[in-house]
């Protein structure tokens, strides 16, 4: 789906692509600051995320604030023409707070406490923590709302990264209150949690606990509700700060930084509360699929913002420090991955962090300004070069992407799918999503992510990989989408349970048996490394992994069948015409080659078109600007690639005209081609 252009992300405040870094001047003597600002200007930096972990410097003792240093650095940045994404600094409570209130420290499921000395050591439901954050944010917002350097607010940092859940007594109370709002009566809760199983029937609210460490599996519906509650509890922390900021600092956009496909937080709900979606992306240079994975999270961020541009809030200029092995980025890789984020809808590229720390747990994490002289650091030169280039790309600001295809991703279903005690423990949501995403990525078919309850009518193809849990509303929405002419691809273990994680009785997958024209009679999960042979309709042999199942067709046409195991001769892949549309189904995870070929047939059937045909390893993505369109060509390989370009334009990176025909893109290089006219249907 596409939406019209909305102009620069921060409007007239900063009408350029955002470029900068986390900036922690509180870690440095003030003499260093003017040098920072000078180097920022040299690198083309126009925005810094300021003071993310500065709480103990901003409020050295309870309720006594020291803003003098922040005033000075805000002034210095403003004089240097650099805007500020001002942090609320609430991600790491100061020692005095947890010292006075040890009950605010988070508790694990087995009763162990997490202690101060790192960061994020707070119980999300703690009234002490919430009260202290409100007081700090009120003081910050009051003081800086009108500051000329202020462009954006950065709430907290990576909510849930280290402490996504807490099992303490305060959390238990908050969980009970959350459950009362959801269920009204204990009897309704008993029904939803299926408490007649294993003698778990509750007679009063007081008996109900978060799923603490139990002898064996805790009640799955209880676990699912606890995951919902935990995401909401942190969202309440964000909301407290957000409310203060919108009241005292109206018109200044608010964000908090996401972490790609982060399981504990339902980012669909979170993104609705943000003015700007932002993301932290730390791909491992040693991961051969890093490029695909970064593209996938970029597509997620664009989708979370419902098409609005987002911000790559953090990436590393070079190495990180938190993996077992922290590989360096290859020359050009940081630049390439930055353009990739922009291609997928980012209107800003920022680093963690500006100046490399000399003390603390992250002193071996790379930064824009290294420990040694900047001039001799290749990473610094890449940072400077990219800043200069981005300064020429104002036309990208506010442009929008377009996708014919959507992959459904529902956090609650993801949580339920990965709870234990299933037919197999090897079914992981994001692996199933990636199996579908990879062929689309490699074919340059732009893909959105969507919720199962969204209006899907703008998509030609919708894919539902292992959508285990569906609400009645979602089930009706998917059936309605196909009935009205849509094309749906659904995989095994979809539609199994309702929103309480209760089986949908009457034959699997109950809400979709008519839509798919089949019944699934039984599951035969595969062992580690085990493969089952599959024969495609054209006679090609393939293999299935992880899962197989006994499918009884009830109207569906068989496109591939199992050709070995007890399932030999039984359907593996099917197609069913339903209403004005088509529903495809696969009952095993096809090997990547077969998956790519088969998915291609589904998107061809649906009429989804690639942005461009490119050699393998070169990614093509398009954004649409008011005056034309921007074709991003990104060569991920270490050798040059020849791409055939169909329309004339200008490569904005070097200002050179591009004629229709062959365009050579160097190793790990990029072209951003502005094309004034677009052919019909090639958005
Ligand atoms: C996260 C955090 C940063 C920093 C980086 C290091 O993204 O938000 O504060 O710890 O990781 O990679
Ligand atoms: C044991 C228990 C049963 C049931 C089965 C499942 O035998 O006694 O209650 O949990 O395992 O295999």
């Amino acid at each position: 789906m596409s939406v019209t252009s909305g102009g620069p992300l921060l409007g007239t405040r900063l009408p350029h692509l955002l470029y900068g870094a986390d900036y922690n001047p509180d870690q440095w003597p003030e003499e260093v600051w003017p040098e920072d600002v000078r180097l920022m200007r040299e690198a083309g930096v126009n925005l810094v995320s300021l003071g993310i972990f500065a709480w103990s410097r901003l409020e050295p003792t309870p309720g006594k604030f020291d803003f003098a240093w922040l005033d000075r650095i805000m002034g210095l940045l403003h004089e240097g023409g650099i805007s500020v994404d001002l942090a609320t600094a609430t991600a790491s409570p100061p020692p005095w707070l947890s010292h006075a209130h040890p009950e605010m420290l988070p508790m694990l499921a087995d009763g162990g406490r997490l202690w101060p000395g790192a960061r994020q050591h707070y119980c999300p439901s703690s009234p002490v923590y919430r009260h202290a954050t409100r007081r700090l944010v009120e003081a910050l917002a009051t003081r800086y709302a009108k500051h000329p350097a202020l462009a954006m607010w950065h709430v907290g940092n990576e909510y849930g990264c280290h402490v996504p859940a807490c099992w303490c007594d305060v959390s238990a109370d908050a969980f009970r209150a959350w459950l009362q709002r959801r269920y009204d009566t204990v009897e309704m809760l008993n029904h939803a949690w299926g408490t007649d199983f294993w003698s778990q029937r509750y007679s009063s609210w007081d008996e109900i606990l978060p799923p603490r460490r139990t002898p064996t599996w805790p009640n799955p519906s209880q676990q699912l509700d606890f995951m919902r509650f935990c995401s909401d509890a942190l969202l309440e922390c964000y909301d407290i700060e957000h409310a203060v900021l919108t009241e005292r600092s109206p018109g200044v956009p608010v964000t908090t930084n996401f972490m790609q496909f982060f399981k504990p937080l339902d980012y669909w709900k979170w993104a609705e509360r943000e003015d700007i979606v932002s993301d932290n992306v730390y791909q491992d240079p040693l991961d051969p699929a890093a490029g695909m994975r970064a593209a996938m999270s970029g597509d997620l961020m664009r989708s979370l913002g419902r098409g609005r541009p987002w911000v790559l809030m953090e990436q590393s200029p070079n190495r990180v420090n938190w993996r077992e092995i922290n590989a360096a980025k290859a020359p050009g890789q940081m630049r390439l991955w930055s353009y990739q984020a922009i291609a997928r809808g980012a209107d800003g590229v920022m680093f963690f962090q500006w100046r490399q720390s000399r003390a603390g747990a992250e002193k071996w994490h790379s930064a824009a300004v290294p420990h040694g002289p900047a001039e001799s650091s290749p990473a610094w030169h890449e940072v400077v070069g990219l800043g200069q280039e981005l300064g020429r790309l104002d036309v990208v600001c506010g442009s929008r992407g377009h996708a014919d295809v959507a992959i459904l991703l529902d956090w609650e279903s993801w949580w339920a799918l990965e709870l234990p005690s299933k037919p197999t423990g090897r079914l992981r949501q994001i692996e199933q999503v990636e199996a579908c995403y990879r062929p689309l990525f490699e074919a340059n078919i732009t893909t959105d992510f969507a919720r199962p309850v969204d209006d899907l009518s703008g998509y030609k193809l919708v894919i539902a990989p292992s959508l285990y849990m569906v609400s009645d509303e979602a089930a009706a929405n998917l059936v309605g989408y196909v009935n009205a002419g849509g094309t749906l691809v659904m995989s095994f273990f979809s539609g199994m349970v309702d929103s309480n994680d209760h089986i949908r009785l009457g034959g699997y997958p109950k809400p979709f048996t008519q839509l798919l024209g089949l019944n699934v009679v039984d599951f035969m999960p595969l062992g580690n490394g085990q493969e089952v042979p599959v024969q495609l309709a054209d006679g090609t042999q393939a293999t299935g992994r992880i899962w197989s199942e006994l499918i009884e067709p009830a109207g569906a046409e068989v496109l591939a069948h199992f050709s070995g195991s007890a399932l030999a001769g039984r359907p593996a892949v099917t197609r069913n015409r339903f209403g004005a549309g088509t529903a495809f189904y696969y009952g095993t995870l096809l090997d990547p080659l077969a998956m790519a070929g088969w998915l291609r047939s589904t998107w061809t059937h649906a009429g989804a078109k690639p942005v461009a045909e490119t050699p393998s390893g070169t990614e093509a993505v398009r954004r649409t600007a008011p005056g034309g369109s921007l074709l991003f060509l990104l060569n991920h390989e270490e050798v040059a690639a020849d791409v055939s370009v169909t329309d004339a334009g200008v490569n904005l990176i070097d200002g050179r005209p591009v004629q229709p025909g062959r365009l050579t893109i160097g190793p790990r290089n990029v072209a951003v081609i502005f094309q004034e006219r677009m052919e019909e249907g090639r958005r």
Side-chain angles (χ1 to χ4, degrees):
M1 278 200 260
S2 55
V3 215
T4 48
S5 173
L9 210 47
L10 299 180
T12 51
R13 243 186 240 110
L14 187 42
H16 310 289
L17 291 178
L18 314 179
Y19 191 56
D22 277 21
Y23 181 37
N24 300 303
D26 41 319
Q27 294 178 10
W28 295 94
E30 293 203 21
E31 301 84 79
V32 176
W33 299 355
E35 172 76 352
D36 281 330
V37 175
R38 186 185 70 71
L39 289 170
M40 284 173 192
R41 291 176 62 89
E42 188 180 327
V45 164
N46 55 30
L47 184 74
V48 291
S49 302
L50 184 63
I52 292 181
F53 297 100
W55 192 345
S56 67
R57 284 288 300 272
L58 292 170
E59 192 181 0
T61 53
K64 299 273 176 296
F65 297 99
D66 176 8
F67 291 129
W69 67 271
L70 190 57
D71 290 349
R72 289 197 291 279
I73 187 64
M74 291 277 287
L76 216 55
L77 289 164
H78 181 59
E79 280 165 31
I82 293 154
S83 297
V84 172
D85 168 34
L86 187 56
T88 60
T90 51
S92 193
W96 54 255
L97 188 61
S98 52
H99 180 71
H101 297 281
E103 75 279 12
M104 66 162 279
L105 295 170
M107 185 178 275
L108 299 173
D110 62 2
R113 284 275 183 195
L114 297 177
W115 294 89
R119 61 179 176 185
Q120 229 177 66
H121 44 280
Y122 61 85
C123 159
S125 301
S126 163
V128 170
Y129 171 75
R130 290 179 175 193
H131 172 260
T133 60
R134 183 185 281 115
R135 187 172 64 181
L136 172 62
V137 178
E138 279 172 357
L140 275 166
T142 307
R143 189 164 189 99
Y144 296 105
K146 298 260 151 39
H147 197 288
L150 178 71
M152 183 166 160
W153 287 105
H154 185 296
V155 175
N157 189 63
E158 292 194 333
Y159 274 99
C161 175
H162 311 301
V163 184
C166 173
W167 286 261
C168 76
D169 287 342
V170 173
S171 294
D173 271 340
F175 183 42
R176 279 188 284 271
W178 185 95
L179 289 167
Q180 286 186 37
R181 289 194 294 276
R182 185 176 176 89
Y183 295 115
D184 208 21
T185 66
V186 176
E187 200 36 50
M188 304 260 286
L189 177 138
N190 276 317
H191 169 74
W193 287 13
T195 52
D196 287 328
F197 184 83
W198 283 354
S199 183
Q200 293 169 357
R201 174 164 286 276
Y202 295 100
S203 58
S204 87
W205 291 106
D206 303 338
E207 299 161 5
I208 298 168
L209 292 168
R212 290 181 176 154
R213 192 163 165 191
T214 45
T216 181
W217 310 304
N219 181 313
S221 307
Q222 176 192 15
Q223 290 189 77
L224 181 61
D225 271 345
F226 187 62
M227 290 164 117
R228 290 175 171 131
F229 159 76
C230 289
S231 175
D232 285 356
L234 281 167
L235 185 53
E236 280 172 20
C237 294
Y238 168 85
D239 276 343
I240 288 168
E241 299 191 26
H242 182 261
V244 172
L245 296 172
T246 45
E247 187 211 309
R248 306 217 176 176
S249 177
V252 179
V254 179
T255 191
T256 184
N257 44 1
F258 288 165
M259 292 162 281
Q260 308 184 259
F261 289 80
F262 182 65
K263 183 177 167 187
L265 302 186
D266 183 347
Y267 280 160
W268 289 118
K269 268 175 125 171
W270 279 69
E272 282 171 3
R273 317 278 240 279
E274 286 187 303
D275 299 309
I276 294 173
V277 170
S278 64
D279 196 26
N280 296 351
V281 180
Y282 290 97
Q283 295 306 334
D284 187 350
L286 296 178
D287 173 8
M292 184 269 288
R293 301 210 156 106
M296 192 164 102
S297 54
D299 286 345
L300 176 67
M301 293 305 137
R302 187 188 61 246
S303 306
L304 289 172
R306 302 302 186 179
R308 284 174 294 141
W310 53 281
V311 175
L312 176 58
M313 186 58 88
E314 291 180 26
Q315 66 167 338
S316 58
N318 190 6
R319 286 181 323 279
V320 297
N321 68 314
W322 41 263
R323 291 195 172 97
E324 161 87 340
I325 298 169
N326 299 296
K329 285 186 174 171
Q333 199 154 49
M334 180 282 283
R335 173 176 176 266
L336 175 70
W337 287 350
S338 300
Y339 277 111
Q340 186 189 37
I342 295 171
R344 304 240 162 223
D347 269 9
V349 171
M350 317 270 288
F351 299 104
F352 177 86
Q353 60 175 331
W354 172 250
R355 183 178 283 276
Q356 189 169 14
S357 301
R358 68 182 163 181
E362 295 187 315
K363 58 183 171 294
W364 294 113
H365 192 293
S366 64
V369 179
H371 290 146
E375 312 78 62
S376 50
S377 152
W380 165 252
H381 289 290
E382 206 166 312
V383 167
V384 173
L386 180 62
Q388 286 164 355
E389 288 178 3
L390 296 186
R392 299 196 281 270
L393 294 182
D394 283 357
V395 63
V396 174
C397 294
S399 62
R400 300 290 177 111
H402 167 83
D404 284 337
V405 180
I407 295 177
L408 301 182
L409 177 67
D410 181 77
W411 256 263
E412 296 191 6
S413 180
W414 176 5
W415 296 335
L417 176 72
E418 295 185 2
L419 287 172
S421 72
K422 294 287 195 317
T424 175
R426 292 186 57 216
L427 200 46
R428 315 309 291 174
Q429 184 72 78
I430 299 307
E431 284 175 21
Q432 296 306 312
V433 167
E434 277 189 8
C436 302
Y437 184 85
R438 183 189 303 270
L440 292 156
F441 170 74
E442 288 175 351
N444 299 316
I445 305 265
T446 312
T447 302
D448 278 351
F449 287 88
R451 282 179 126 161
V453 290
D454 283 343
D455 174 6
L456 301 169
S457 58
Y459 295 110
K460 292 179 175 162
L461 176 67
V462 171
I463 305 178
S466 299
L467 186 64
Y468 170 69
M469 188 174 84
V470 282
S471 63
D472 295 346
E473 187 194 355
N477 192 44
L478 296 187
V479 172
Y481 164 74
V482 178
N483 193 38
T487 302
L488 177 74
V489 171
M490 180 170 273
S491 85
F492 50 89
F493 219 40
S494 294
M496 293 292 124
V497 296
D498 65 16
S499 304
N500 293 326
D501 195 25
H502 293 196
I503 303 293
R504 290 188 171 277
L505 297 175
Y508 310 129
K510 184 59 189 163
F512 305 124
T513 49
Q514 284 192 12
L515 170 73
L516 300 168
L518 54 76
N519 287 284
V520 175
V521 180
D522 204 1
F523 316 125
M524 284 84 166
L526 301 173
N528 274 328
Q530 191 187 350
E531 294 185 340
V532 59
V534 174
Q535 186 172 323
L536 308 179
D538 65 1
T540 321
Q541 287 294 327
T543 55
R545 294 156 191 194
I546 293 184
W547 188 272
S548 66
E549 58 185 23
L550 175 56
I551 298 171
E552 283 291 357
E557 186 186 336
V558 178
L559 300 181
H561 61 266
F562 293 107
S563 52
S565 83
L567 292 170
R570 296 291 194 153
V573 180
T574 63
R575 172 172 59 191
N576 193 45
R577 314 258 178 211
F578 181 87
T582 306
F584 292 90
Y585 182 77
Y586 56 105
T588 185
L589 180 62
L590 294 170
D591 64 81
L593 197 67
M595 186 71 173
W598 177 65
L599 266 188
R600 178 181 296 273
S601 73
T602 68
W603 77 61
T604 307
H605 166 95
K609 299 228 168 45
V611 166
E613 306 279 352
T614 57
S616 149
T618 301
E619 176 184 351
V621 197
R622 200 180 283 278
R623 290 179 67 167
T624 306
S629 102
L630 297 144
L631 175 63
F632 290 77
L633 297 170
L634 306 124
N635 179 6
H636 290 263
E637 302 292 319
E638 288 172 35
V639 292
D642 287 336
V643 181
S644 112
V645 176
T646 49
D647 304 297
V650 180
N651 184 355
L652 298 178
I653 292 183
D654 56 17
R656 295 216 185 118
V658 176
Q659 299 307 331
R662 207 182 67 167
L663 178 70
T664 301
I665 309 203
R668 283 203 199 88
N669 211 340
V670 175
V672 181
I673 306 171
F674 183 76
Q675 299 169 329
E676 254 177 56
R677 274 181 295 118
M678 285 186 304
E679 283 171 31
E680 203 40 45
R682 299 192 69 257
R683 290 186 298 165

